Amino acid sequence: MDENTQHDCSFLADVLPEERFSLDRAERERFAADEGPHPASVPDAVARPHSTAQVSAVLAAANERGVPVTPWSGGSSIEGNPIPVEGGVVLDTFEMDDVTIRAADRQAVVGPGVVYDELNTAAESAGLRFAPGIAAGDVATVGGMVANNASGLNAVRYGQTREHVYRLEVVLPDGEVVECGRDVVKTASGYSLRDLFVGSEGTLGVVTEATVALEPIPRVRRAALAVFPTREAAGEAVAAVMRSGITPGAIEYLDTRTMEMVAARTDVDVPEAPTLVLEVHSESDAGAKAALEAVRERCEGAGVSEWRAAAGDDIDDVWQARRDVYPAACDYREGATVAVIGDVTVPVSKYPDIIRATVDAADELGVTTPCVGHAGDGNLHFLPIADLDDEDEVARAMALNDRLVAAAIDVGGTATGEHGVGIGKRKFMDREHANAVDLMREVKDAVDPDGVMNPGKVLPDPDE
Amino acid sequence: MDENTQHDCSFLADVLPEERFSLDRAERERFAADEGPHPASVPDAVARPHSTAQVSAVLAAANERGVPVTPWSGGSSIEGNPIPVEGGVVLDTFEMDDVTIRAADRQAVVGPGVVYDELNTAAESAGLRFAPGIAAGDVATVGGMVANNASGLNAVRYGQTREHVYRLEVVLPDGEVVECGRDVVKTASGYSLRDLFVGSEGTLGVVTEATVALEPIPRVRRAALAVFPTREAAGEAVAAVMRSGITPGAIEYLDTRTMEMVAARTDVDVPEAPTLVLEVHSESDAGAKAALEAVRERCEGAGVSEWRAAAGDDIDDVWQARRDVYPAACDYREGATVAVIGDVTVPVSKYPDIIRATVDAADELGVTTPCVGHAGDGNLHFLPIADLDDEDEVARAMALNDRLVAAAIDVGGTATGEHGVGIGKRKFMDREHANAVDLMREVKDAVDPDGVMNPGKVLPDPDE
């Protein structure tokens, strides 16, 4: 045990083959930070199990010694969810990537390391897909999606990861292996332990296999870009569409400033006004046409000033502005980048309020930020820009985030719609959940009495 | 405390107004049994709180005294879920029936006593509905649906109650009130305590308020009755439809014997062969037409021998045979009735196997039973008929149930798709969940350390 480590992890040699773990510094440093702004922390060892039995052996041995274990898969999270803040073992499940498609059951049985896009490639020939839909589908894994209850811009119609999980094989902190849930669409049998592990961010155990639901790939998609004279008109259109009987596949809001940032980066004609990007999905071409027509009527009722509809391959063009938001924010100012990604959700009726609050807070704090999000389900993202060497500017970006998280919670919303609590949102847990945090803590203590699983995440310290 | 009671419940006078509880025998007997075959057990008291504060006061006082509390709402369950097997207090929440429709948020905030159909009546003028869909919608309450994770024949498209709950206000066994979840569509914040209480059948606490999701009422429905020459052909049609990219609103299977029983009861022409009742839902008439046409093509590919399509008010006619199954079974033989309602779910690909197993077991045991179910999600119901005074015949009906539950579990299925564990399915918990039952027990002990909440339900005794 050298001076740079917190826990003696030499026990891994007793439970894993030599090639399945490393105590090497350079290797360990690869697992010190995710894609977010939270400080890196180098683990004392990296274990790379290839089987449930190996995961079990590592957990049993670590638990016995009080050594923390932090699960890791894609590493694409941004709230510090897999950062090993107390050292110990990072358990990298990325290579547990078996996929079995059960087309007749509309199911896939997958290892936690299966990358989202790869699962969908495997399911495609059966006309199926894993529907939660996330932005980082090329790197995020199913294990990470389950851990964070991840989702993306299609959640308005298809829901979060939680709604697409049937069964989880989980290794508990003491090494015991349990099956949570069954490979069926419906069950009313017993406590839903499965749902306890979904979204628990690796703090209760390690998912080693999942049976997930596959859905038919939408037969027909149509999309439109709708430009509005004012933010209020766009908000009115969102409300009208969501009340119309049509549930769009996506309904994205981009505010004027965001559109200006996108316009500055491209030669393509980008309307510099509040904009919605809408997509409808249907089981038939006739259905898609009718759905988009119904959406257009609602947008006209709200005073839409420009309507660009698209079908087939042209749908990509409609999405161009939305796709460009993050790169446009990163490129917006020489030497600056996105300092933190905001991710609040509010009741849909409060969406216009939280957008206004974002713009006002940004002005007051002197922060530049896109303001963009999944308007149909109340999930708003803001991406304050800062020079990361400018402490004051970074502090103002973080203050914007803090202020808006608090505002979202205070109108009945949540600190995180998609990205999880990790390190970044722990300080808001009491504000959001009040005394339910005590009950979460009791559950944690029952499942992980020694507190070895991913310590320092999700739950705030009792005295914080 | 008279000789007919198990627990002294006179403490209720200290915590509730006089008109909100009763120790009267006649009143208590009304809460001794549900609609199923399980033995009645008269509670020692009935409390009828009108507020969360009153529920809290009852629970705190009962818990302190070790007096069992069993929540009750509609009483329409059939697995003995609310039977107070250890006496104590039945907590009747039926009169906690406030409803607030938040149309802009597609939400309703409801008390546990709100009847399913009444919630939908309240939501209808906003074009919305609470979608889980259950057979006993005229008596079952939202509180009971949450407790049992109930659902019905539309679950194939819309899911179970679980997927439609955003937030629960729960009174814990010690009287503490916690909010589980938020009034938002999406959250990734903390452990989903909400999902722990959904389906826990009142064994962890009492739900005193719920925010549930409302969905647009399907704009257009179309339906068809499809008759097949063989059970195998019908099974092939189900598989083809479910792979077609169309998710029907309902897809019900009725076997030949079931259709014969229905035919015996009516003058209407009922085909006496394996039959599917199919319904499609769409956001437009064009979409519904196209969807039903796609379904018809799949049925033709599987060799459908008769196809009766319907739209508008005629849809009711298509559903007549399916609606008649339960009354036809009850009336089938003079002096006999349905002895028990089977409710297993298997992976969809195993559905033909479990139907065959049902027919074979019924023949072997000399039991008459309809065989009917939600083919699209693998949920099968069988309704063995017996003269309730004929012990042997009742035993054979129960043996059929036991045998098929075991068979369903052994192919990866579950003991209950819709009705919960209650008393009836406890003995199958170990077979279905293995060592995960221990983890459920640890959760129960953490939340209800004194074991006062609805004892004798869901979890088997450790030594059973």
Side-chain angles (χ1 to χ4, degrees):
Chain A
M1 188 168 169
D2 70 42
E3 69 215 48
N4 292 319
T5 59
Q6 295 175 262
H7 299 275
D8 179 0
C9 292
S10 58
F11 69 89
L12 289 172
D14 303 330
V15 294
L16 286 180
E18 198 178 342
E19 72 278 12
R20 304 253 62 89
F21 71 96
S22 176
L23 305 176
D24 176 67
R25 174 92 196 175
E27 179 66 6
R28 291 188 280 122
E29 282 177 349
R30 293 181 45 223
F31 298 88
D34 65 3
E35 299 294 323
H38 302 284
S41 173
V42 180
D44 302 315
V46 177
R48 196 171 285 116
H50 267 204
S51 68
T52 301
Q54 287 180 348
V55 172
S56 172
V58 171
L59 263 62
N63 191 52
E64 206 181 299
R65 290 165 178 80
V67 174
V69 177
T70 300
W72 184 288
S73 44
S76 59
S77 59
I78 56 177
E79 288 298 347
N81 321 61
I83 297 177
V85 290
E86 297 187 13
V89 178
V90 158
L91 191 97
D92 175 20
T93 59
F94 192 70
E95 292 176 19
M96 294 177 72
D97 60 356
D98 287 345
V99 178
T100 306
I101 304 295
R102 294 178 179 164
D105 289 316
R106 287 193 185 178
Q107 295 176 350
V109 182
V110 296
V114 174
V115 171
Y116 178 75
D117 285 353
E118 285 170 13
L119 170 55
N120 278 324
T121 300
E124 194 175 4
S125 63
L128 298 170
R129 61 171 193 150
F130 182 48
I134 50 170
D138 57 333
V139 284
T141 62
V142 176
M145 292 178 71
V146 168
N148 287 356
N149 189 24
S151 59
L153 52 78
N154 298 130
V156 60
R157 187 174 174 103
Y158 300 100
Q160 305 172 94
T161 295
R162 178 179 305 287
E163 287 91 50
H164 301 271
V165 176
Y166 291 136
R167 180 188 62 89
L168 296 175
E169 178 187 83
V170 177
V171 181
L172 299 179
D174 65 0
E176 192 173 351
V177 182
V178 293
E179 299 285 340
C180 302
R182 304 285 287 175
D183 291 347
V184 293
V185 180
K186 283 173 72 170
T187 178
S189 175
Y191 304 157
S192 187
L193 298 175
R194 171 194 71 195
D195 281 292
L196 193 58
F197 289 102
V198 176
S200 66
E201 304 186 23
T203 64
L204 298 175
V206 180
V207 171
T208 46
E209 188 177 274
T211 301
V212 298
L214 300 178
E215 291 187 17
I217 296 169
R219 289 158 68 107
V220 186
R221 298 162 58 209
R222 283 181 175 256
L225 189 134
V227 187
F228 292 86
T230 61
R231 188 194 304 153
E232 288 68 27
E236 206 184 298
V238 170
V241 168
M242 294 305 291
R243 293 289 302 283
S244 70
I246 309 290
T247 300
I251 178 166
E252 294 287 300
Y253 173 78
L254 297 86
D255 78 346
T256 304
R257 213 167 300 186
T258 308
M259 294 300 282
E260 288 167 356
M261 291 169 86
V262 169
R265 194 175 172 267
T266 174
D267 293 334
V268 181
D269 168 40
V270 173
E272 298 182 28
T275 298
L276 297 177
V277 183
L278 298 131
E279 187 169 300
V280 298
H281 296 169
S282 180
E283 293 160 338
S284 65
D285 197 52
K289 268 187 196 158
L292 195 63
E293 179 57 22
V295 168
R296 191 185 58 76
E297 280 168 22
R298 295 330 184 275
C299 289
E300 287 192 345
V304 66
S305 50
E306 193 182 341
W307 175 262
R308 300 182 193 171
D313 293 341
D314 294 342
I315 287 178
D316 267 3
D317 299 340
V318 164
W319 279 101
Q320 187 63 44
R322 176 64 183 90
R323 262 200 308 277
D324 281 350
V325 171
Y326 187 76
C330 291
D331 294 351
Y332 182 69
R333 209 181 75 213
E334 180 84 24
T337 190
V338 171
V340 61
I341 299 183
D343 170 40
V344 299
T345 302
V346 294
V348 175
S349 62
K350 307 288 186 191
Y351 204 68
D353 298 345
I354 196 75
I355 290 172
R356 198 162 28 244
T358 305
V359 173
D360 290 350
D363 285 348
E364 197 183 319
L365 290 162
V367 174
T368 305
T369 179
C371 180
V372 59
H374 318 321
D377 55 31
N379 192 189
L380 183 74
H381 296 303
F382 38 89
L383 316 167
I385 293 161
D387 174 347
L388 299 187
D389 293 326
D390 180 339
E391 272 183 39
D392 176 67
E393 195 177 32
V394 170
R396 282 182 283 125
M398 296 302 174
L400 178 79
N401 191 31
D402 288 359
R403 196 182 290 191
L404 291 170
V405 170
I409 292 171
D410 292 349
V411 295
T414 180
T416 166
E418 307 177 334
H419 300 153
V421 176
I423 298 167
K425 301 287 171 69
R426 283 172 85 211
K427 62 183 173 186
F428 299 106
M429 287 294 284
D430 288 330
R431 188 173 192 129
E432 179 169 344
H433 299 289
N435 58 337
V437 173
D438 299 330
L439 187 54
M440 293 184 198
R441 224 173 249 132
E442 282 166 34
V443 169
K444 165 79 173 174
D445 289 345
V447 180
D448 181 22
D450 299 309
V452 295
M453 288 306 308
N454 200 6
K457 308 299 165 57
V458 183
L459 298 173
D461 292 334
D463 52 357
E464 266 176 334
Chain B
M1 185 171 170
D2 72 44
E3 69 216 46
N4 291 320
T5 58
Q6 296 174 262
H7 299 274
D8 178 1
C9 292
S10 57
F11 69 89
L12 289 172
D14 303 330
V15 295
L16 285 180
E18 198 177 343
E19 71 280 10
R20 303 254 64 86
F21 72 97
S22 175
L23 305 177
D24 175 67
R25 174 91 195 175
E27 178 67 5
R28 292 188 281 123
E29 281 175 351
R30 292 181 45 222
F31 298 88
D34 64 4
E35 299 294 322
H38 302 284
S41 173
V42 180
D44 302 315
V46 177
R48 197 170 285 114
H50 267 203
S51 67
T52 301
Q54 287 180 347
V55 172
S56 172
V58 172
L59 263 61
N63 191 51
E64 205 180 299
R65 291 162 177 82
V67 173
V69 177
T70 299
W72 184 288
S73 43
S76 59
S77 58
I78 55 177
E79 290 297 348
N81 321 60
I83 297 178
V85 292
E86 299 186 12
V89 180
V90 158
L91 191 97
D92 176 18
T93 59
F94 193 71
E95 292 177 20
M96 294 177 72
D97 60 357
D98 287 343
V99 178
T100 306
I101 305 293
R102 295 179 180 164
D105 288 316
R106 286 193 186 178
Q107 296 176 350
V109 182
V110 296
V114 175
V115 171
Y116 178 75
D117 285 353
E118 285 171 14
L119 171 54
N120 279 324
T121 300
E124 193 175 5
S125 64
L128 298 170
R129 61 171 193 153
F130 183 46
I134 50 171
D138 56 334
V139 282
T141 61
V142 176
M145 292 180 70
V146 168
N148 288 356
N149 190 23
S151 59
L153 54 76
N154 299 129
V156 59
R157 188 175 173 104
Y158 300 100
Q160 305 171 94
T161 296
R162 179 180 305 286
E163 286 90 50
H164 301 271
V165 177
Y166 291 137
R167 179 189 61 92
L168 297 175
E169 179 186 81
V170 177
V171 181
L172 298 179
D174 64 0
E176 190 172 351
V177 182
V178 292
E179 299 285 340
C180 303
R182 304 285 286 175
D183 291 347
V184 292
V185 181
K186 286 174 72 171
T187 177
S189 175
Y191 305 159
S192 186
L193 299 174
R194 170 194 72 195
D195 282 291
L196 193 59
F197 289 101
V198 176
S200 66
E201 303 185 25
T203 64
L204 298 176
V206 180
V207 171
T208 45
E209 188 178 272
T211 302
V212 299
L214 300 178
E215 290 187 18
I217 295 169
R219 288 159 69 106
V220 187
R221 298 161 58 209
R222 282 180 175 256
L225 188 132
V227 188
F228 293 86
T230 62
R231 188 193 304 151
E232 288 69 26
E236 205 184 301
V238 171
V241 168
M242 294 304 291
R243 293 289 302 282
S244 70
I246 308 290
T247 300
I251 176 165
E252 293 288 299
Y253 173 78
L254 297 87
D255 78 346
T256 304
R257 213 168 301 187
T258 308
M259 294 300 284
E260 288 167 358
M261 292 170 84
V262 170
R265 193 173 175 271
T266 175
D267 293 334
V268 179
D269 167 39
V270 173
E272 299 182 30
T275 298
L276 297 177
V277 183
L278 298 132
E279 188 170 298
V280 298
H281 297 170
S282 178
E283 292 160 339
S284 65
D285 197 52
K289 269 187 195 157
L292 195 63
E293 178 58 22
V295 167
R296 193 185 58 75
E297 278 168 24
R298 295 330 186 276
C299 289
E300 287 193 342
V304 68
S305 52
E306 195 182 338
W307 175 263
R308 299 182 193 170
D313 292 342
D314 295 340
I315 287 179
D316 267 3
D317 299 339
V318 164
W319 279 101
Q320 189 61 46
R322 177 63 183 91
R323 260 198 311 274
D324 280 350
V325 171
Y326 186 77
C330 292
D331 293 352
Y332 182 69
R333 209 181 74 212
E334 180 83 25
T337 189
V338 172
V340 60
I341 299 184
D343 170 40
V344 299
T345 303
V346 295
V348 175
S349 62
K350 308 288 185 191
Y351 204 68
D353 299 345
I354 196 76
I355 291 172
R356 196 160 31 241
T358 304
V359 173
D360 291 349
D363 286 347
E364 199 184 316
L365 291 162
V367 174
T368 303
T369 178
C371 180
V372 59
H374 318 319
D377 55 30
N379 192 188
L380 183 74
H381 297 302
F382 39 90
L383 316 167
I385 294 161
D387 174 348
L388 298 187
D389 294 326
D390 181 339
E391 272 182 39
D392 177 66
E393 195 178 34
V394 170
R396 284 182 283 124
M398 296 302 175
L400 180 79
N401 191 28
D402 288 358
R403 198 183 288 192
L404 291 171
V405 171
I409 292 171
D410 292 349
V411 297
T414 180
T416 167
E418 304 176 338
H419 301 153
V421 176
I423 297 166
K425 301 289 171 70
R426 282 173 85 210
K427 61 182 173 186
F428 300 106
M429 288 293 284
D430 288 331
R431 188 174 190 128
E432 179 169 344
H433 299 288
N435 59 336
V437 173
D438 299 329
L439 187 53
M440 292 184 199
R441 223 172 250 131
E442 282 168 34
V443 169
K444 165 81 173 171
D445 290 345
V447 179
D448 180 23
D450 299 310
V452 294
M453 288 306 311
N454 199 5
K457 310 298 167 57
V458 184
L459 298 173
D461 292 335
D463 53 357
E464 270 177 330

